[in-house]
Amino acid sequence: SSPRPSARPWILAGALFVALVAASIGLWRSTRAADAPVLRLSSTMPGDLTFDLTLRPMIAVSRDGATLAITAIKKGSAQTQLFVRRLKDFDAQLLAGTDGARMVFWSNDGRFIGFWASGKLKKIPVEGGTPLPICDLPEPWSADWNKDGVIVAAAGLGPTWIIEANSGAMTRWKPVHFPKVLPDGKRLLYVTP
C-alpha cells in the first residue's frame, strides 16, 4: 500500500497565507493613517474683539477646518456681532446685520453660518449678505446642521427642536444638550440631561 499524503503542508500553507493577508491589511491601514494630514491650530483673537462669556457657543469651526465663525463684541460696540476669520488671514471680518448674534454653528456644506438673535434662528452666507430668518425660537443653547438641511437646536432645560433650514418648519423633540452632527452628515451625537 502507498503511504497516505499528509495534510500538514496544506495547513501550513493556509496559515502562512492568512498571516500574509493580515500583515498586508495592517500595513495598508498604517500607511493610510500615516498619509493623513496633521492639522495643528493656534489662533488668537483680534485685539479689538472680546468675548461675552455668557454666550454659548462663541466659536464654531467650519467642517473643512479652514474658517472660524465667532460671536464677539467689537471695541466701542455694546452688543455681540458675528465675525468670520479664515485661518490663513489675520483679521476677522464682520458680517453686517448680525447685531446681537449668539450661538453660532455651520451648515454642513459650509455655505451658511447659523446663529440666534432677537428671538429668531437665522442664517447668513459665509461671504456676508442679508441674514435670512429661519424661524422664531426661544433662545437655544446649542445647535448643529446636517447634510439634509435639518437643524437640531437644543435649549438648556426645554425641548429640542428639529428645524427645516429652508422652510422653518419645526418639530418638538426630546430634551438633549450640545447636539453635534457626525462626519457622515446623518448621525447625531448629543448629551442627555
Side-chain angles (χ1 to χ4, degrees):
S1 68
S2 63
R4 192 170 169 178
S6 171
R8 183 179 240 169
W10 290 109
I11 293 173
L12 289 174
L16 181 61
F17 176 75
V18 169
L20 286 173
V21 169
S24 298
I25 290 173
L27 181 61
W28 177 72
R29 283 188 178 172
S30 66
T31 303
R32 284 185 54 207
D35 291 342
V38 174
L39 175 67
R40 290 181 179 90
L41 171 66
S42 177
S43 181
T44 57
M45 280 290 285
D48 61 343
L49 298 181
T50 58
F51 286 126
D52 178 349
L53 298 178
T54 63
L55 304 180
R56 62 188 93 164
M58 299 169 284
I59 296 177
V61 181
S62 62
R63 300 219 193 268
D64 66 2
T67 309
L68 301 176
I70 306 164
T71 56
I73 302 170
K74 191 170 180 99
K75 201 174 279 183
S77 177
Q79 58 185 335
T80 58
Q81 295 172 302
L82 183 57
F83 297 84
V84 172
R85 178 169 171 228
R86 287 177 175 73
L87 294 179
K88 65 180 183 172
D89 299 330
F90 290 109
D91 296 322
Q93 303 300 316
L94 170 66
L95 296 181
T98 60
D99 294 348
R102 296 172 178 246
M103 195 214 46
V104 62
F105 59 100
W106 286 86
S107 65
N108 195 273
D109 62 9
R111 293 178 43 222
F112 289 94
I113 299 170
F115 65 99
W116 181 92
S118 305
K120 294 189 181 298
L121 194 62
K122 300 179 180 184
K123 65 182 178 180
I124 188 169
V126 71
E127 303 85 22
T130 303
L132 305 169
I134 297 172
C135 63
D136 292 336
L137 187 67
E139 186 173 3
W141 282 17
S142 58
D144 209 359
W145 195 333
N146 79 7
K147 72 178 196 174
D148 296 323
V150 175
I151 297 170
V152 180
L157 300 173
T160 300
W161 295 97
I162 307 298
I163 303 163
E164 296 290 331
N166 291 328
S167 69
M170 299 171 63
T171 304
R172 191 180 183 119
W173 194 46
K174 66 182 180 179
V176 302
H177 295 305
F178 310 108
K180 284 292 170 203
V181 175
L182 293 174
D184 65 8
K186 293 183 176 182
R187 293 177 296 155
L188 187 69
L189 181 67
Y190 55 86
V191 176
T192 54

